[in-house]
Amino acid sequence: MNKKINTTLIICAVFLFCAVSCNNNNNQTSENMETENNTNSTSVLPRGERGSSDWFTGEVYVQGLVKPEEIEGLYSVGQVTFEPGGKTNWHTHPIGQVLLVTEGKGWYQERGKPAQPLTPGTVVTIPKDVEHWHGAAKDSKMVHIAISNIQDSSAVTWLNPVTDEEYNDL
Ligand code: MN
Protein backbone atom coordinates (compact mmCIF):
# COMPACT_ATOMS: atom_id res chain seq x y z
CA MET A 1 0.00 0.00 0.00
CA ASN A 2 2.70 2.46 1.08
CA LYS A 3 4.79 1.49 -1.92
CA LYS A 4 1.85 2.21 -4.22
CA ILE A 5 1.32 5.67 -2.67
CA ASN A 6 5.04 6.42 -2.96
CA THR A 7 5.04 5.44 -6.62
CA THR A 8 2.00 7.64 -7.23
CA LEU A 9 3.68 10.57 -5.45
CA ILE A 10 6.85 10.15 -7.51
CA ILE A 11 4.86 10.09 -10.76
CA CYS A 12 2.99 13.23 -9.66
CA ALA A 13 6.27 14.93 -8.71
CA VAL A 14 7.86 14.09 -12.07
CA PHE A 15 4.77 15.31 -13.90
CA LEU A 16 4.77 18.59 -11.97
CA PHE A 17 8.48 19.07 -12.58
CA CYS A 18 7.96 18.56 -16.31
CA ALA A 19 4.99 20.91 -16.35
CA VAL A 20 6.96 23.67 -14.59
CA SER A 21 10.04 23.10 -16.78
CA CYS A 22 8.01 23.19 -19.98
CA ASN A 23 6.28 26.35 -18.80
CA ASN A 24 9.65 27.95 -18.01
CA ASN A 25 10.94 26.99 -21.45
CA ASN A 26 7.93 28.64 -23.05
CA ASN A 27 8.53 31.83 -21.06
CA GLN A 28 12.19 31.78 -22.01
CA THR A 29 11.31 31.39 -25.67
CA SER A 30 8.96 34.38 -25.68
CA GLU A 31 11.53 36.42 -23.70
CA ASN A 32 14.18 35.53 -26.25
CA MET A 33 11.90 36.53 -29.09
CA GLU A 34 11.20 39.83 -27.37
CA THR A 35 14.93 40.42 -26.93
CA GLU A 36 15.61 39.55 -30.57
CA ASN A 37 12.92 41.94 -31.71
CA ASN A 38 14.07 44.46 -29.08
CA THR A 39 10.51 45.71 -28.71
CA ASN A 40 7.60 45.61 -26.34
CA SER A 41 5.27 46.31 -29.24
CA THR A 42 1.91 44.62 -29.11
CA SER A 43 1.55 44.91 -32.88
CA VAL A 44 0.47 41.73 -34.62
CA LEU A 45 2.74 42.75 -37.52
CA PRO A 46 6.54 42.37 -37.70
CA ARG A 47 8.59 45.41 -36.72
CA GLY A 48 10.63 45.24 -39.95
CA GLU A 49 13.99 46.74 -40.81
CA ARG A 50 15.70 49.81 -39.36
CA GLY A 51 14.79 52.89 -41.43
CA SER A 52 17.63 54.80 -43.12
CA SER A 53 19.16 57.75 -41.25
CA ASP A 54 18.90 59.57 -44.59
CA TRP A 55 15.16 59.78 -44.00
CA PHE A 56 14.61 59.29 -40.27
CA THR A 57 16.03 60.64 -37.01
CA GLY A 58 16.42 58.22 -34.11
CA GLU A 59 15.29 54.61 -33.97
CA VAL A 60 12.63 53.90 -36.59
CA TYR A 61 11.60 50.56 -38.15
CA VAL A 62 9.70 50.03 -41.41
CA GLN A 63 7.75 46.94 -42.45
CA GLY A 64 6.27 46.85 -45.97
CA LEU A 65 2.84 45.17 -45.89
CA VAL A 66 1.79 45.09 -49.52
CA LYS A 67 4.03 44.85 -52.56
CA PRO A 68 3.17 47.81 -54.84
CA GLU A 69 3.24 45.50 -57.89
CA GLU A 70 0.37 43.55 -56.31
CA ILE A 71 -1.80 46.67 -56.49
CA GLU A 72 -0.87 48.02 -59.90
CA GLY A 73 1.95 50.14 -58.41
CA LEU A 74 -0.63 52.60 -57.11
CA TYR A 75 -0.05 52.41 -53.35
CA SER A 76 2.59 51.83 -50.75
CA VAL A 77 1.29 50.24 -47.53
CA GLY A 78 3.53 49.75 -44.53
CA GLN A 79 3.85 49.83 -40.76
CA VAL A 80 6.29 52.27 -39.20
CA THR A 81 7.48 51.89 -35.59
CA PHE A 82 9.03 54.99 -34.02
CA GLU A 83 10.87 54.44 -30.74
CA PRO A 84 10.73 57.44 -28.31
CA GLY A 85 12.18 60.51 -30.07
CA GLY A 86 12.20 58.75 -33.48
CA LYS A 87 10.71 60.70 -36.39
CA THR A 88 10.66 61.20 -40.15
CA ASN A 89 12.48 64.00 -41.92
CA TRP A 90 10.30 66.73 -43.29
CA HIS A 91 8.80 65.36 -46.53
CA THR A 92 5.96 65.53 -49.04
CA HIS A 93 3.83 62.93 -50.85
CA PRO A 94 3.02 63.43 -54.57
CA ILE A 95 -0.62 62.37 -54.20
CA GLY A 96 -1.10 62.19 -50.44
CA GLN A 97 -0.96 59.81 -47.50
CA VAL A 98 -3.19 58.32 -44.81
CA LEU A 99 -1.78 57.44 -41.38
CA LEU A 100 -3.62 55.03 -39.05
CA VAL A 101 -2.12 55.25 -35.56
CA THR A 102 -2.19 51.89 -33.79
CA GLU A 103 0.04 52.32 -30.72
CA GLY A 104 1.65 54.84 -28.41
CA LYS A 105 1.89 58.64 -28.54
CA GLY A 106 3.37 60.88 -31.20
CA TRP A 107 3.10 63.99 -33.32
CA TYR A 108 2.06 65.02 -36.84
CA GLN A 109 3.02 68.50 -38.01
CA GLU A 110 2.54 70.41 -41.24
CA ARG A 111 5.02 73.22 -41.98
CA GLY A 112 3.87 76.48 -40.37
CA LYS A 113 1.14 74.83 -38.28
CA PRO A 114 0.99 73.58 -34.68
CA ALA A 115 1.81 69.88 -34.22
CA GLN A 116 -1.16 67.56 -33.70
CA PRO A 117 -0.98 64.81 -31.06
CA LEU A 118 -1.28 61.21 -32.30
CA THR A 119 -2.80 58.45 -30.16
CA PRO A 120 -4.13 54.98 -31.02
CA GLY A 121 -7.08 55.39 -33.37
CA THR A 122 -5.99 58.75 -34.80
CA VAL A 123 -6.43 58.89 -38.58
CA VAL A 124 -4.43 61.57 -40.40
CA THR A 125 -5.22 62.51 -44.00
CA ILE A 126 -2.27 64.31 -45.57
CA PRO A 127 -2.91 66.27 -48.77
CA LYS A 128 -0.54 66.06 -51.72
CA ASP A 129 2.62 68.17 -51.72
CA VAL A 130 2.10 69.41 -48.13
CA GLU A 131 5.39 69.53 -46.24
CA HIS A 132 5.12 67.59 -42.95
CA TRP A 133 6.72 65.12 -40.53
CA HIS A 134 5.45 62.41 -38.19
CA GLY A 135 7.03 60.63 -35.27
CA ALA A 136 7.01 59.49 -31.68
CA ALA A 137 6.73 61.60 -28.55
CA LYS A 138 9.90 62.05 -26.49
CA ASP A 139 8.68 59.66 -23.81
CA SER A 140 6.68 57.15 -25.87
CA LYS A 141 6.96 55.00 -28.91
CA MET A 142 4.39 55.42 -31.70
CA VAL A 143 3.29 52.93 -34.36
CA HIS A 144 1.25 53.74 -37.45
CA ILE A 145 0.18 52.13 -40.69
CA ALA A 146 0.97 54.42 -43.63
CA ILE A 147 -0.90 54.24 -46.94
CA SER A 148 0.68 56.39 -49.62
CA ASN A 149 -0.20 56.89 -53.25
CA ILE A 150 2.59 56.33 -55.74
CA GLN A 151 3.20 58.67 -58.66
CA ASP A 152 5.98 58.11 -61.19
CA SER A 153 7.31 55.24 -59.02
CA SER A 154 7.64 57.52 -55.98
CA ALA A 155 5.52 57.85 -52.85
CA VAL A 156 7.61 60.45 -51.04
CA THR A 157 10.03 63.33 -51.54
CA TRP A 158 12.43 63.56 -48.61
CA LEU A 159 13.60 66.92 -47.26
CA ASN A 160 15.66 68.09 -44.25
CA PRO A 161 15.61 66.44 -40.80
CA VAL A 162 13.36 67.94 -38.13
CA THR A 163 15.66 70.06 -35.96
CA ASP A 164 15.99 69.58 -32.20
CA GLU A 165 14.60 73.14 -31.83
CA GLU A 166 11.48 72.24 -33.82
CA TYR A 167 11.00 69.00 -31.88
CA ASN A 168 11.84 70.30 -28.41
CA ASP A 169 9.33 73.13 -28.79
CA LEU A 170 6.46 70.62 -28.81
MN1 MN B 1 4.21 61.43 -44.50
Side-chain angles (χ1 to χ4, degrees):
M1 187 71 175
N2 276 346
K3 202 174 180 183
K4 197 175 179 185
I5 288 170
N6 280 344
T7 306
T8 308
L9 280 174
I10 287 166
I11 289 169
C12 284
V14 168
F15 178 78
L16 274 175
F17 177 77
C18 284
V20 169
S21 297
C22 290
N23 195 29
N24 280 347
N25 284 342
N26 284 343
N27 285 344
Q28 207 170 13
T29 302
S30 70
E31 274 167 21
N32 287 346
M33 283 175 68
E34 205 164 88
T35 305
E36 281 165 20
N37 288 333
N38 192 24
T39 177
N40 295 317
S41 174
T42 56
S43 175
V44 296
L45 301 167
R47 187 172 65 162
E49 300 294 321
R50 180 81 182 254
S52 168
S53 59
D54 292 345
W55 306 330
F56 300 101
T57 305
E59 205 178 331
V60 180
Y61 297 86
V62 181
Q63 173 68 46
L65 299 175
V66 179
K67 291 178 182 150
E69 58 265 31
E70 291 173 346
I71 43 177
E72 309 292 334
L74 294 173
Y75 300 95
S76 161
V77 183
Q79 175 180 263
V80 189
T81 301
F82 302 87
E83 295 297 332
K87 52 196 159 307
T88 68
N89 282 13
W90 289 98
H91 61 279
T92 62
H93 302 286
I95 305 289
Q97 184 180 49
V98 173
L99 305 178
L100 312 172
V101 180
T102 54
E103 277 187 61
K105 289 190 304 179
W107 296 102
Y108 165 74
Q109 185 173 30
E110 295 179 2
R111 180 71 82 182
K113 294 186 180 176
Q116 299 173 28
L118 303 178
T119 56
T122 306
V123 177
V124 183
T125 307
I126 304 165
K128 68 176 185 176
D129 298 329
V130 167
E131 199 175 332
H132 69 280
W133 66 271
H134 22 114
K138 290 169 197 163
D139 60 350
S140 172
K141 73 187 301 176
M142 189 274 285
V143 183
H144 67 49
I145 306 288
I147 304 167
S148 318
N149 285 108
I150 296 172
Q151 186 179 61
D152 299 331
S153 304
S154 172
V156 57
T157 300
W158 292 107
L159 305 166
N160 293 330
V162 175
T163 65
D164 287 345
E165 260 181 11
E166 289 166 326
Y167 187 65
N168 290 334
D169 281 351
L170 297 173

